Amino acid sequence: MHPNEELIQKFYTSFQNKDGQTMVSLYHPDIEFQDPAFGLLKGKEAVAMWLMLIERSQNLTIRFSNIKADESKGSANWEADYHFSKTGRIIHNKIHANFTFKDGKILTHKDHFSMWKWLGMAMGPVGYLMGWWPALGNKVRKEALTGLQLYMKRKRM
């Protein structure tokens, strides 16, 4: 197994074990994370996001597969099952992740998933009907970022 494949495997194994400190230790100091829910996060924001998600997670189950990596780039598929805190609805999110590496760490991490499908699971029929509308996705992103900023302030990050 390539060392960067091992790095990705360690990242997701730590996620399964709710070990946020190990997860973020695998990130390069110049990390850039991006996904449809949070948008682009850099450095401390990316680190704080994972720590916040781990701390708040209840009934979270993570599975990962299809890890591939070479010297410069990598990818993996992962799935998350959890209850969305605002509605109590069950989420089963299927994500494809792309990575780049520098100095033996993850430099960029981009998660790709359908925001429309996620909104449908999180909000039910309204999410399915309105999930295609960019304003709804923007509202969710704004709420996620506000929550992240409050978390960072509370943790003095």
Side-chain angles (χ1 to χ4, degrees), residues 2-57:
H2 191 279
N4 287 333
E5 288 176 332
E6 291 175 3
L7 188 65
I8 295 169
Q9 183 168 350
K10 186 174 182 180
F11 181 86
Y12 287 115
T13 299
S14 299
F15 197 7
Q16 284 178 322
N17 295 328
K18 296 183 172 77
D19 181 359
Q21 293 298 326
T22 298
M23 287 175 69
V24 299
S25 75
L26 304 174
Y27 272 176
H28 190 277
D30 297 326
I31 183 66
E32 290 189 5
F33 172 84
Q34 188 171 10
D35 81 352
F38 284 93
L40 178 62
L41 303 175
K42 296 181 181 184
K44 289 181 189 178
E45 286 183 331
V47 166
M49 184 266 309
W50 289 113
L51 297 175
M52 178 182 75
L53 291 178
I54 292 290
E55 186 176 303
R56 294 180 177 175
S57 68

Side-chain angles (χ1 to χ4, degrees), residues 3-139:
N4 287 333
E5 288 176 332
E6 291 175 3
L7 188 65
I8 295 169
Q9 183 168 350
K10 186 174 182 180
F11 181 86
Y12 287 115
T13 299
S14 299
F15 197 7
Q16 284 178 322
N17 295 328
K18 296 183 172 77
D19 181 359
Q21 293 298 326
T22 298
M23 287 175 69
V24 299
S25 75
L26 304 174
Y27 272 176
H28 190 277
D30 297 326
I31 183 66
E32 290 189 5
F33 172 84
Q34 188 171 10
D35 81 352
F38 284 93
L40 178 62
L41 303 175
K42 296 181 181 184
K44 289 181 189 178
E45 286 183 331
V47 166
M49 184 266 309
W50 289 113
L51 297 175
M52 178 182 75
L53 291 178
I54 292 290
E55 186 176 303
R56 294 180 177 175
S57 68
Q58 294 180 2
N59 303 321
L60 173 68
T61 304
I62 301 295
R63 291 173 306 286
F64 60 93
S65 63
N66 203 27
I67 295 173
K68 297 178 183 173
D70 59 25
E71 287 300 315
S72 60
K73 63 184 185 306
S75 64
N77 295 324
W78 65 283
E79 298 179 35
D81 293 302
Y82 58 96
H83 287 89
F84 183 55
S85 61
K86 289 194 174 196
T87 63
R89 296 179 64 85
I90 296 171
I91 304 291
H92 175 78
N93 202 10
K94 295 181 179 184
I95 302 112
H96 179 76
N98 290 310
F99 303 90
T100 63
F101 309 98
K102 182 178 179 182
D103 303 328
K105 302 264 186 175
I106 298 168
L107 178 64
T108 65
H109 177 177
K110 293 184 180 181
D111 279 350
H112 307 275
F113 61 86
S114 169
M115 190 65 163
W116 172 70
K117 286 182 182 178
W118 185 90
L119 285 164
M121 289 182 279
M123 300 174 79
V126 171
Y128 282 113
L129 291 173
M130 300 298 292
W132 58 268
W133 189 36
L136 186 56
N138 291 338
K139 181 179 186 234

